[in-house]
Amino acid sequence: MDQQVQESGVVGQAARRPPGAGAVPRDVSVIVKCTRKCNFACDYCVDRVAGDSKLGIEDLAGIVSSVLRRPEAGRTTFVWHGGEPLTLGRRYFEKVLAVQALAAAEGQHVRNILQTNGSLLDAEWAGFLRDNEIGVGVSEDGPPAVHDRNRPLGNGHGTSAAVARGIRSLQDDGAGFGVLCVATPQLMAGDRRELLDFFVAQGVRRVAFLPLRPARAAFADLQERDDHYRLRDEYADFMCELFDIWIARDDPSFDVRELSNILATLVGGESTTCIGSGPCVGRHFGLDATGCVSHCDKFFGDERFVFGSFRETGFDEMLDSPRLDAARRLESDLRQACAACPWAAQCQGGCLFDAALFAASGLQERPRHCHLRRIYDHIAACLQQAVPFASSSQPKEA
């Protein structure tokens, strides 16, 4: 860490666009809810819907072709999400790859990532994912006592053993993967050091800790609002304590995604995720098996960010529609709430869903209520202790 800071010479003054500024088109990503069927009954799931609708290969062929012929889609990522995508079987994804191969232009880079609960992974799946260079995210909520409570089967039985077997299958076949862990109150109540020890002992090399979020960008009542921001405060404390433990380990083979991203932006680098990468409308899309096309999968049902149905309107037409232009303008307005934050240039306004949620909260001064600001404050203070000469480069306080 010290060498990174010394080489950059600054903390908090990276040359980055302010939130809401126009962005040069970069990678396009499409989060595809290819099925709503799932063999888990996670207690915090906000994606569970009635039925088990799936995206047919005919619809998929049209969507993939439409996306890949866009001029800004030189590098396109498809994120296969659910439900549980593996319930569709390998043959489904063989067809996906065939469609992409036919639709992609010469020199066009197409990447696939599959998000799975891990319980259906076996040697055959692992080999298929490895051979086709499909990135894998496995959902695992820490040690069995917490995971089994948060992510049971429909009959209430635990799933941690099945997920552990799936992870071992990926490791045995050399398939690349990371773990996504939801920071529930149960997880955050546990010992942070033991939590990291659990993942290290399991051979996990990259883990992301996700805060809980409501199903839509609005609160049902003041109690839900207050509970949400209380949990975000707990999440900030949790991540700050994890940072202290993680950085003290000094183990470059084990990465905590959110912490390494914040650290990178503080020393002049770029975020490797959408959070911290600035304006995102028009770069990320959510496709639901029902036909809905929205900005990102967090905005299904929010008419401000829904562009139509691919079964009724051509995908190309939606991408050039006044609705998309209006969503871009709304995004710019929402991100301005972060303009007074001392870390605005680094975090780029954070997640748009959080910005939309705050705008509907009735609260004022978003930086005061922002969990990211607290984490940035903590990590920056740690950098200042490590490199005292950088104190003059601290951002101006709001």
Side-chain angles (χ1 to χ4, degrees):
M1 180 180 73
D2 292 7
Q3 184 178 0
Q4 273 188 304
V5 177
Q6 290 168 357
E7 288 175 351
S8 72
V10 297
V11 175
Q13 290 192 347
R16 299 169 63 80
R17 291 178 299 277
V24 176
R26 291 180 278 181
D27 300 8
V28 171
S29 67
V30 184
I31 304 168
V32 185
K33 296 283 187 181
C34 48
T35 180
R36 288 295 188 167
K37 183 178 181 180
C38 188
N39 56 333
F40 279 24
C42 303
D43 64 0
Y44 52 70
C45 181
V46 297
D47 289 321
R48 189 181 300 118
V49 296
D52 57 357
S53 58
K54 72 174 184 178
L55 185 63
I57 202 68
E58 296 81 6
D59 286 331
L60 185 64
I63 292 164
V64 169
S65 298
S66 296
V67 171
L68 293 182
R69 67 171 170 255
R70 300 288 298 183
E72 64 268 37
R75 293 183 296 178
T76 304
T77 300
F78 291 91
V79 182
W80 303 96
H81 212 284
E84 174 47 49
L86 297 193
T87 61
L88 296 173
R90 280 187 299 281
R91 181 62 180 153
Y92 182 90
F93 290 99
E94 289 171 356
K95 293 178 181 178
V96 166
L97 295 172
V99 167
Q100 291 175 341
L102 288 171
E106 184 177 355
Q108 194 169 34
H109 179 69
V110 179
R111 182 171 65 138
N112 289 288
I113 298 172
L114 187 143
Q115 182 62 36
T116 174
N117 63 37
S119 65
L120 302 179
L121 288 167
D122 56 19
E124 291 185 7
W125 265 116
F128 172 79
L129 296 167
R130 179 203 61 217
D131 293 345
N132 291 286
E133 299 181 336
I134 298 173
V136 182
V138 179
S139 296
E140 184 183 35
D141 284 359
V146 176
H147 177 97
D148 288 339
R149 176 175 178 176
N150 291 346
R151 303 180 61 81
L153 295 172
N155 60 12
H157 292 174
T159 59
S160 58
V163 175
R165 284 195 300 270
I167 287 175
R168 285 195 297 272
S169 294
L170 294 173
Q171 293 168 326
D172 291 345
D173 271 272
F177 74 98
V179 163
L180 270 66
C181 178
V182 178
T184 60
Q186 295 81 16
L187 185 89
M188 294 189 293
D191 185 276
R192 285 84 163 109
R193 195 177 304 276
E194 290 179 2
L195 177 62
L196 294 187
D197 286 343
F198 168 79
F199 287 119
V200 170
Q202 199 175 35
V204 172
R205 294 303 178 200
R206 182 170 172 82
V207 62
F209 292 100
L210 310 178
L212 283 170
R213 66 174 177 87
R216 58 194 180 91
F219 296 111
D221 51 39
L222 293 179
Q223 185 63 55
E224 184 183 21
R225 182 196 72 181
D226 294 345
D227 288 346
H228 171 79
Y229 286 108
R230 176 182 52 79
L231 277 176
R232 287 301 173 97
D233 283 343
E234 292 178 13
Y235 175 79
D237 291 339
F238 170 75
M239 295 304 291
C240 291
E241 292 171 23
L242 277 185
F243 176 80
D244 294 342
I245 298 167
W246 173 69
I247 207 70
R249 287 173 182 260
D250 195 22
D251 179 2
S253 70
F254 181 74
D255 181 47
V256 178
R257 186 184 70 179
E258 288 73 22
L259 300 178
S260 61
N261 271 345
I262 290 175
L263 187 58
T265 63
L266 283 170
V267 297
E270 294 284 336
S271 172
T272 60
T273 67
C274 56
I275 298 176
S277 295
C280 50
V281 173
R283 290 175 45 217
H284 304 289
F285 298 92
L287 271 63
D288 190 43
T290 61
C292 178
V293 179
S294 71
H295 164 63
C296 169
D297 64 324
K298 296 183 178 73
F299 288 94
F300 293 132
D302 187 334
E303 290 301 318
R304 301 171 301 171
F305 293 99
V306 171
F307 310 129
S309 169
F310 59 75
R311 295 198 174 102
E312 299 172 1
T313 307
F315 197 70
D316 279 343
E317 186 178 340
M318 281 187 272
L319 299 189
D320 293 321
S321 71
R323 291 188 68 86
L324 183 59
D325 291 338
R328 282 193 174 107
R329 292 193 296 272
L330 177 56
E331 175 186 23
S332 180
D333 292 342
L334 290 171
R335 290 191 183 277
Q336 288 306 312
C338 296
C341 178
W343 305 115
Q346 284 72 33
C347 90
Q348 295 283 286
C351 177
L352 181 58
F353 183 85
D354 288 338
L357 193 62
F358 184 81
S361 71
L363 297 171
Q364 301 295 319
E365 299 182 58
R366 187 183 175 205
R368 290 182 53 215
H369 301 274
C370 180
H371 62 286
L372 282 177
R373 175 176 179 173
R374 292 185 55 202
I375 301 170
Y376 266 96
D377 283 346
H378 179 80
I379 295 178
C382 292
L383 293 179
Q384 291 303 308
Q385 291 178 355
V387 189
F389 73 83
S391 60
S392 62
S393 298
Q394 276 292 289
K396 183 179 178 181
E397 284 296 324

